[in-house]
Amino acid sequence: MTTKWVFGFDEVELAESQVDGDWDLVRALLGGKGANLGEMTRLGVPVPPGFTVTTAACNAYLAGTEGFPDGMWSQVLQALENVEHATDKRFGDPTKPLLVSVRSGAMFSMPGMMDTVLNVGLNDDVVKGMIALTDDPHFVYDSYRRLVQMFGAVVLGVRDEPFEDVMAAYRHRNGVATDAELSADDLRMIVDEFKDIVTRYSHTAFPTDPHTQLEMAIEAVFKSWNGKRARDYRDAAHIAHDLGTGVNVVTMVFGNMGEDCATGVAMSRNATTGEDNLEGDYLMNAQGEDVVAGTRATKPVADLAVEMPGMYREFEAIARKLETHYRDMQDMEFTIERGKLWILQTRNGKRTAQAAVRIAVQLADEGLISRKEAVLRVSPDQVDFFLHPQFSSDTKLSVGEPIASGLNVSPGAAVGVVAFDPDLAERWATQESKPVILVRPETKPDDVHGMLAAQGICTSSGGRTSHAALVARQFGKPAVVGAASLMIDVSARVMTVDGVQIKEGDWISIDGTTGEIFHGALETVIPDIEDEWLMRLLSWADEFRRLGVWANADYPHDAERARANGAEGIGLCRTEHMFFEPERLPIVRRMITTKSLGERRDAVNALLPFQRADFAGIFRAMDGLPVIIRLIDPPLHEFLPSFEDLTKDLSDLKIQLISSRNLPEIDSILGRVTEEQAMLERVEALRESNPMLGLRGVRLGILIPELTRMQVRAVFEAACEVAREGVDVLPEIMIPLTSHVNELSRQRGVLETEARAVMEEQDLEIPYKFGTMIEIPRAAITADELAEYAEFLSFGTNDLTQTTFGVSRDDAESGFLLQYLSEGILPSNPFATLDIGGVGRLMGLGVAGARATNPDIEIGICGEHGGDPDSIAFFDELKLSYVSCSPFRIPVARLAAAQAALNAETKN
């Protein structure tokens, strides 16, 4: 059976019959543009006659070496003959000339990414015939010069500049501002010069045979599917590279035949705000590319109501008809030829995040779509756009290219002066009210105060789950990490990139959404999270989701923000972050470095009031909602100065000692040497070959039980305190890094005894749970055993991913992982989107095992994957109790969880 490669616009029903009426498959076959041209024809919308060469033909052409697939060209010629009958014109006939446009059209809209050729069919003879027919040589030669230029550029690969230089020279010579003001004689001479440019630059004469023009134009559109800009766009838009493009051959209608002609592009609703009114641009006496090329000042489409009121009313009615039919905002191209309106294209319009939300809600209010469909219409990325400051595209264009780029780990825009150390960042921000960007080779927990004070964070190393990335997301700080081209010299207070020096105090701007870094201060736009349309959409999402959405929050103000964004609990409160506050860190270091059990006990007791106050504030903020508090997790060395810094400081002090002649100064230096030496010895004693798999988490609690007992005491004293205030307190204690059930049973026994003691002292009973964090493969495999001693389990997927892959996340993301991703060895970054085949399989084993022991056990996830929409879909499939993520990702997770549930419902 002969493959049908070509469908007329009036054959859309035939295309449907070949794919069992599945409209998505029709779009895959004909491309979005071809499918919609056919559908509009069926609806009676005025569409110029034409036909579509299928995406299958494109793929066959690109896969082969012999040109068009068998039978395609003969089908094109037959379809062209059908168009001739429909228009009473003939292709290449000077007496009744038919001209066509050749336009791309893939399944998914890729505006401007592939090629188009207009006015195909013109040659010298046809030009003469058209002049005789129209008595308008200006219009004819204007159309001819456009064809030669577009054909040269699109089909033969000639650069645009030589053509533009000619046009500019003629405008200058005639003292006119626009191409439309040139005379017919000028345009005739321009055509000749354009033909010479084509021959000179392509070594090929402009083809005069119309059928050769058509054949070469179709080939060019096929080839444009694999053009760099098209591939780059598909990469960014996550569009598959194997779909191919359709080619639409459409009868030319002309908006440049006089003052009763026009052409334009318009949306059925405002694509920026979502308001329900036509929005777009048009030009009188012009062709379509004039509107989009920016070569002429366009008019707002509302002005058409004044210049051509009848045409405006007809277009308005068609826009409403198409929006109602497609049940979405439409982006339409139109041409008015001598008082006749033609629609050349419709597609679902691109829109801002704000517009996407408003339009979805309004369409649901109008009954065009259901609330479920409205929730599915808005992407989680669009919700995320509401939550952070942003740079407008116009602002970026005004400053040019970024100076560097890295990983876009925390979205939003930040502008500030560069500070290379956290103390200075904090001082400038708090004492001098300067906006600061903290720039570091990498960050450590010690830097958290500077990070909190800064508007944004930039590092030259690190990955998506590095410290900088985690803290940035936690606190909603825009961040770019792993910008390897930045040469940061902290000691000299300068960074260099491509020969440009940026000193401390200079202004930079970072875009955490794209990973770009700019020199200078860019203007930002602050989105409004209180958007009424977003709030309504998220309230609908909450009705449909099965997963709870909790937050990772370490401080009361984080908890308040999380609750305001819709969090239903705290899934991870990291107690160690509280230890890095300036007034607490010296106490923590004293606790670690002392060899006296009494001094250690005193230090632990000194920390108790701080921890109690922290927990009380979080409990108040989360009144009536559960709060999971993770006991201290990181290795102790993270709270101490680094071995390398201490060694350097000690060497410097010894040099000062040798050179000093002042006795008081010598005594002072000796005292500092003694202190530094003692600290160095303790740091060296705590050094481990692999500290992330060393003395941390539950192991630390077992070896230093007074530390975790203090933390539990602080939790329950705070709970009793706020309970007496009338707050409904629901604490859950999480023991980290458990790998064996005996660790959990031992630590729970010690800690629960402390909890009971506090409640007896306070004469108050607090409902509580004890649970553990699953970060080690063995814990996932033996979750059935852990569930005997845990009332809840929480997957820490950041560390679980590390331990499953056997890699360091920071080293991997700044090293081999980049190559793995670029070469397709891994389909995605497993630290950004969960590795379902490995880590996900372990999670599945853990969930099944735990629920076999306790069917009602609470199971959640508190890694960074808790805010990733793709990962959330898997967590919904696992039937977890909740996901926990940054307060700023809560709205995203709410929507993603609803979409996961709705998609699962559709599959079932």
Side-chain angles (χ1 to χ4, degrees), residues 483-516:
S485 62
L486 296 179
M487 300 294 107
I488 300 172
D489 187 338
V490 174
S491 59
R493 306 284 176 166
V494 66
M495 68 176 172
T496 306
V497 55
D498 291 337
V500 177
Q501 279 198 341
I502 299 175
K503 299 177 181 177
E504 197 157 56
D506 288 349
W507 287 83
I508 64 169
S509 304
I510 65 171
D511 190 336
T513 303
T514 64
E516 296 170 311

Side-chain angles (χ1 to χ4, degrees), residues 287-519:
Q287 280 202 330
E289 73 267 23
D290 297 330
V291 176
V292 297
T295 55
R296 290 172 60 181
T298 59
K299 301 177 181 180
V301 74
D303 288 1
L304 190 64
V306 177
E307 291 197 270
M308 305 179 81
M311 292 292 93
Y312 181 84
R313 286 193 297 272
E314 183 180 354
F315 178 70
E316 190 175 38
I318 289 172
R320 186 60 64 189
K321 179 178 183 177
L322 291 175
E323 185 178 271
T324 301
H325 178 76
Y326 288 105
R327 301 163 63 245
D328 203 353
M329 185 262 278
Q330 293 299 292
D331 174 359
M332 300 154 289
E333 295 180 20
F334 66 91
T335 286
I336 299 169
E337 180 185 272
R338 291 183 170 171
K340 167 68 176 174
L341 175 65
W342 296 96
I343 305 299
L344 308 182
Q345 173 173 287
T346 193
R347 59 190 174 197
N348 293 341
K350 305 293 184 184
R351 62 207 75 177
T352 65
Q354 290 86 345
V357 170
R358 181 170 181 171
I359 289 169
V361 173
Q362 286 181 328
L363 291 176
D365 287 344
E366 294 164 18
L368 283 178
I369 62 175
S370 67
R371 289 185 175 185
K372 288 183 178 180
E373 288 174 296
V375 167
L376 290 169
R377 287 277 178 96
V378 177
S379 74
D381 285 344
Q382 287 171 322
V383 172
D384 190 44
F385 209 72
F386 279 83
L387 309 174
H388 300 272
Q390 297 140 18
F391 297 125
S392 70
S393 56
D394 290 342
T395 297
K396 284 188 176 182
L397 288 173
S398 69
V399 297
E401 294 294 318
I403 58 169
S405 60
L407 295 172
N408 53 335
V409 297
S410 187
V415 180
V417 294
V418 172
F420 290 110
D421 80 69
D423 294 332
L424 180 63
E426 184 179 49
R427 186 167 71 249
W428 276 355
T430 58
Q431 297 179 18
E432 301 181 29
S433 299
K434 288 183 180 179
V436 176
I437 304 295
L438 180 64
V439 178
R440 304 281 285 164
E442 60 185 352
T443 64
K444 300 188 303 180
D446 275 0
D447 300 334
V448 70
H449 59 292
M451 300 169 78
L452 292 174
Q455 298 295 309
I457 301 154
C458 175
T459 69
S460 57
S461 63
R464 291 191 183 278
T465 51
S466 63
H467 178 263
L470 290 171
V471 174
R473 283 193 287 267
Q474 170 71 33
F475 296 101
K477 302 287 183 182
V480 177
V481 305
S485 62
L486 296 179
M487 300 294 107
I488 300 172
D489 187 338
V490 174
S491 59
R493 306 284 176 166
V494 66
M495 68 176 172
T496 306
V497 55
D498 291 337
V500 177
Q501 279 198 341
I502 299 175
K503 299 177 181 177
E504 197 157 56
D506 288 349
W507 287 83
I508 64 169
S509 304
I510 65 171
D511 190 336
T513 303
T514 64
E516 296 170 311
I517 303 164
F518 298 88
H519 195 184

Side-chain angles (χ1 to χ4, degrees), residues 222-243:
F222 280 168
K223 290 175 181 176
S224 73
W225 173 256
N226 281 332
K228 183 180 184 306
R229 69 176 185 264
R231 294 191 71 87
D232 289 346
Y233 182 93
R234 292 198 297 275
D235 285 339
H238 307 293
I239 296 172
H241 292 297
D242 59 356
L243 297 176

Side-chain angles (χ1 to χ4, degrees), residues 883-897:
V883 296
S884 187
C885 58
S886 158
F888 289 92
R889 298 288 292 177
I890 293 294
V892 175
R894 289 165 66 189
L895 181 70

Side-chain angles (χ1 to χ4, degrees), residues 530-542:
E530 298 300 327
D531 184 274
E532 63 172 304
W533 306 101
L534 178 60
M535 294 299 101
R536 290 185 63 198
L537 185 80
L538 291 177
S539 71
W540 297 347
D542 292 339

